[in-house]
Amino acid sequence: MTKPLRKVVFPVAGLGTRFLPATKVVAKEMLPVLDRPLIQYAVDEAVDAGADTLIFVTNRYKHAIADYFDKAYELEAKLAEKRKDELLALVQTVLPKHVRCVFVTQPEALGLGHAVLMAKPVVGNDEPFGVILPDDLIWNEGPGALRQMAKVAHDEDAGVIAVEEVPHEDTDKYGIVATDEAKGRSARIHHMVEKPKPADAPSNLAVVGRYVLPGRIFQLLEETTPGAGGEIQLTDAIDRLLKGDGKVLAHRFEGTRFDCGSKVGLVKATIHFALKDPKLAAAVHEAVAAGRA
Ligand code: UTP
């Protein structure tokens, strides 16, 4: 049986500049895809993978995320009084009862690697843990992407990184992996390159926002100095893990990824979920067709 991935880290301390001015006050992770904020999709995926401890790496502007997962006494009392049972159930089930949230802060946005390092006191060194970047929303009818990866990590006793094929001309927007030959959907990574020019890219397999990492990554992160963009990069620490004989697999997950860190990705995700909703599908279809005309 696959051991569940108990702890999942959500680095949400970035500045979200691509959604300014909204992100002056609204955390990017609270932007809705239909009626659910991005962070809810990410948390659901972590819980699906077996997580019971969710670690949010936040900053002083992201209180709304903690508020969202907190109990809303006044709202719940009002909904109960008005017998709005369906809505009451909706607000009471944003988080299953057995799941706890821990909030740690990243005092300065020094990079994704630095944000993950902030979770060390909660995660510890002894067990593998998951990382989800909520702005990569991954939808799958069956098991979520992180659950698929947790199974591979357990079966192969390895770290696992989610990858997706991207057009060759886009390799300079992603971390790109060089791998051995694939077995099924997974392949052992021998090195990673951050944002290579298409001519220099070893493949077109791009890293997307899901990781299952061993606890010892924290020590490597502590030793990592600022890299690309002056930031402490998670990619650099993983690359050192690979050089030190660590086994890390690239996994081509089943599912559709929406890059909701970009405007077009957020719009695509919204249209996707609206077309799946029987109450909205016809009207949205018509609106999209009219927009094209
Ligand atoms: P992004 O590169 O998407 O940056 O970070 P961003 O600040 O969120 O958004 P833009 O590009 O300015 O619009 C990738 C992930 O890493 C987290 C972000 O919150 C996001 O989940 N991150 C990044 C941190 O938590 N801390 C950092 O110092 C940097």
Side-chain angles (χ1 to χ4, degrees), residues 11-18 28-29 106 109-112 115 133-135:
V12 290
L15 300 176
T17 53
R18 282 171 287 171
K28 176 171 73 172
E29 298 74 19
Q106 183 189 24
L110 297 180
L112 174 60
L133 308 189
D135 46 9

Side-chain angles (χ1 to χ4, degrees), residues 10-20 23 28-29 57-59 62 106 108-116 132-136 195 231-232 259 261-262:
F10 302 88
V12 290
L15 300 176
T17 53
R18 282 171 287 171
F19 282 101
L20 281 170
T23 43
K28 176 171 73 172
E29 298 74 19
V57 183
T58 66
N59 63 29
K62 306 258 175 153
Q106 183 189 24
E108 252 185 287
L110 297 180
L112 174 60
H114 182 257
V116 171
I132 293 186
L133 308 189
D135 46 9
D136 268 336
K195 302 187 173 68
E231 297 196 332
I232 296 176
D259 173 12
S262 76

Side-chain angles (χ1 to χ4, degrees), residues 12-15 23-27 56-67 103-109:
V12 290
L15 300 176
T23 43
K24 261 180 87 182
V25 290
V26 181
F56 298 88
V57 183
T58 66
N59 63 29
R60 54 187 310 215
Y61 302 106
K62 306 258 175 153
H63 293 299
I65 297 176
D67 293 346
F103 294 86
V104 295
T105 51
Q106 183 189 24
E108 252 185 287

Side-chain angles (χ1 to χ4, degrees), residues 76-254:
E76 290 183 24
K78 281 266 180 285
L79 291 174
E81 190 187 303
K82 295 194 166 151
R83 308 302 306 259
K84 304 240 177 194
D85 297 342
E86 254 179 60
L87 289 179
L88 182 60
L90 209 59
V91 295
Q92 285 178 332
T93 54
V94 294
L95 203 65
K97 291 213 166 13
H98 70 282
V99 176
R100 65 180 176 150
C101 297
V102 182
F103 294 86
V104 295
T105 51
Q106 183 189 24
E108 252 185 287
L110 297 180
L112 174 60
H114 182 257
V116 171
L117 180 57
M118 298 296 104
K120 180 185 169 191
V122 187
V123 176
N125 294 319
D126 302 334
E127 57 182 323
F129 65 99
V131 177
I132 293 186
L133 308 189
D135 46 9
D136 268 336
L137 193 168
I138 301 181
W139 167 253
N140 191 39
E141 286 288 349
L146 195 66
R147 171 136 66 116
Q148 299 168 38
M149 294 165 64
K151 179 167 174 17
V152 176
H154 180 260
D155 292 351
E156 301 289 330
D157 192 19
V160 180
I161 300 178
V163 295
E164 179 175 86
E165 282 180 30
V166 295
H168 216 80
E169 60 273 21
D170 287 347
T171 57
D172 57 357
K173 299 189 183 107
Y174 296 91
I176 299 290
V177 296
T179 66
D180 294 339
E181 208 176 312
K183 285 195 205 121
R185 289 184 164 268
S186 303
R188 187 167 178 163
I189 303 176
H190 42 86
H191 70 278
M192 297 170 71
V193 201
E194 195 58 44
K195 302 187 173 68
K197 291 197 186 100
D200 304 329
S203 76
N204 66 338
L205 283 181
V207 175
V208 302
R210 301 292 183 275
Y211 306 78
V212 178
L213 297 170
R216 70 190 166 106
I217 196 74
F218 289 121
Q219 197 193 329
L220 298 171
L221 281 169
E222 271 163 346
E223 293 161 7
T224 302
T225 48
E231 297 196 332
I232 296 176
Q233 299 286 355
L234 183 57
T235 310
D236 291 346
I238 296 172
D239 202 44
R240 290 196 48 217
L241 187 66
L242 293 167
K243 289 194 173 105
D245 246 16
K247 183 177 174 189
V248 184
L249 304 179
H251 185 70
R252 284 173 40 246
F253 57 88
E254 277 182 65

